[in-house]
Amino acid sequence: MIPSTPSRLTLGTAQLGLPYGIANREGLLSDEAAEAILERAFALGVRSLDTAPDYGEAEARIGAFLERRGRPEGLVLCTKLPRLDADLSADELADVVSQALDGSRQRLRVDCIDVYLIHAADDLRQHGQTLVDVLVKHGEAGHLGRFGVSVYEPEEGESALTFSGLSAIQYPFNSFDRRFREQGFAQRLNEHGHASFARSPLLQGLLLLEPERLPSHLPQAKRWLDEWSRLLSDYALDPLAAALGYAVECSGARRIVLGVESIPQIESAVDAVGSPLPDGFSDEVGRRLEGIPREVFDPRSWADPTS
């Protein structure tokens, strides 16, 4: 069953622990600013947080805040297993996973993590059933609820579905990157009854930018951002409402992961997930934004502006 809005929204917390995203204007948020965002999100009905050890101070900030204010009823905490070495023995793998999981539990100040994701899909490919078995044991010990994997490619998701016990997958989805829907993976994931999270609905903020504000290291995105801007104008849509609404309507995921830098952004996001898109808009996205190349929709291929 897909949660109702705004509980369908998962607050991504990379922005709470790092200066994250090409549209970032705030830099690293203060403790007070991060806590204010969390408090406002809970007040608006958001009941899911997505974090990771790789997100700087995010886990520690979340844990300290929840300990002070109390955990809202129904809150789902998702964090991730950091990247693993490829040459670990089975015993070494078990030790590394245990240490990583214990570290996240301590920082988040919880006994059990609701959803625990393998952050790098290559780790699941490399360690396979051995890694899955370790996570199953931690589930049996009460250290985690569901576990799964964060993927970039539909093929990685399809491979993950072959492992018994794995029951949560996070994948990218936005107006520029629709592969997981177009290849049928989102539907198959829901047919398996897995927890599903669609991340990057704003493509790290790219979909919020006016074309003239496109960073100089992303010239390949200019054509597509221009077309996106024209599409928004044709339907008189705000970029956030359009991008987030499209992910809600078309991703097939039970939850949409969105990071914010301010209270107005989380307020706007909650409004957006509860507002239906105009008739025909989603079809126009597929028609007018067809054929976007990987160097535009995959942030891993974006040039480093500091290099």
Side-chain angles (χ1 to χ4, degrees):
M1 179 179 179
I2 292 178
S4 60
T5 56
S7 58
R8 193 171 175 193
L9 188 65
T10 290
L11 180 63
T13 64
Q15 286 89 339
L16 303 190
L18 296 168
Y20 179 84
I22 66 169
N24 181 287
R25 298 182 180 181
E26 303 296 328
L28 177 61
L29 298 175
S30 67
D31 288 343
E32 294 77 13
E35 291 186 0
I37 290 171
L38 290 168
E39 187 63 65
R40 186 59 179 148
F42 294 159
L44 292 169
V46 175
R47 290 296 181 268
S48 178
L49 301 178
D50 176 85
T51 191
D54 289 345
Y55 297 168
E57 298 298 314
E59 282 188 331
R61 284 178 163 181
I62 292 167
F65 174 70
L66 292 179
E67 187 171 69
R68 283 195 299 272
R69 67 91 63 197
R71 178 169 175 159
E73 183 177 357
L75 180 65
V76 174
L77 284 176
C78 172
T79 192
K80 304 178 186 75
L81 173 69
R83 186 67 186 257
L84 301 169
D85 290 337
D87 58 353
L88 294 173
S89 68
D91 288 342
E92 290 170 336
L93 178 66
D95 287 342
V96 169
V97 172
S98 294
Q99 292 171 14
L101 180 56
D102 287 347
S104 287
R105 291 164 62 212
Q106 290 168 12
R107 287 185 292 273
L108 290 167
R109 307 189 191 193
V110 296
D111 293 326
C112 178
I113 291 171
D114 304 299
V115 181
Y116 195 59
L117 299 178
I118 301 163
H119 208 163
D122 279 350
D123 288 339
L124 182 61
R125 179 187 59 80
Q126 180 70 38
H127 297 286
Q129 193 63 48
T130 303
L131 175 55
V132 170
D133 290 345
V134 170
L135 293 171
V136 167
K137 290 180 179 178
H138 280 286
E140 292 171 346
H143 299 157
L144 56 85
R146 291 177 180 264
F147 70 87
V149 63
S150 176
V151 301
Y152 274 97
E153 310 295 338
E155 296 77 14
E156 294 171 340
E158 296 289 356
S159 176
L161 291 179
T162 66
F163 289 96
S164 177
L166 187 150
S167 63
I169 297 184
Q170 185 181 112
Y171 56 90
F173 184 89
N174 53 67
S175 303
F176 281 14
D177 184 6
R178 307 178 299 277
R179 295 168 298 151
F180 283 83
R181 177 187 179 181
E182 293 172 348
Q183 297 184 31
F185 176 77
Q187 179 178 349
R188 285 190 289 278
L189 183 60
N190 287 324
E191 288 171 353
H192 279 74
H194 287 7
S196 51
F197 299 80
R199 70 175 183 273
S200 200
L202 310 182
L203 193 51
Q204 294 195 7
L206 179 65
L207 297 175
L208 301 184
L209 293 179
E210 297 173 357
E212 57 270 22
R213 287 190 57 230
L214 184 69
S216 60
H217 68 283
L218 284 176
Q220 69 272 24
K222 180 66 164 58
R223 166 193 171 188
W224 303 102
L225 197 59
D226 282 339
E227 187 61 36
W228 171 245
S229 182
R230 286 191 289 268
L231 182 57
L232 298 181
S233 178
D234 290 346
Y235 282 86
L237 284 172
D238 170 81
L240 177 64
L244 193 53
Y246 183 77
V248 168
E249 183 174 297
C250 298
S251 68
R254 288 175 165 82
R255 297 187 186 272
I256 309 300
V257 182
L258 177 72
V260 303
E261 301 167 32
S262 67
I263 287 176
Q265 286 180 1
I266 188 62
E267 292 173 339
S268 297
V270 169
D271 287 343
V273 297
S275 301
L277 293 172
D279 290 342
F281 176 78
S282 295
D283 291 338
E284 282 293 281
V285 168
R287 184 180 70 82
R288 292 169 60 170
L289 299 176
E290 184 178 4
I292 297 179
R294 176 175 292 275
E295 58 264 27
V296 173
F297 71 71
D298 188 347
R300 296 174 300 173
S301 67
W302 295 352
D304 183 352
T306 64
S307 62

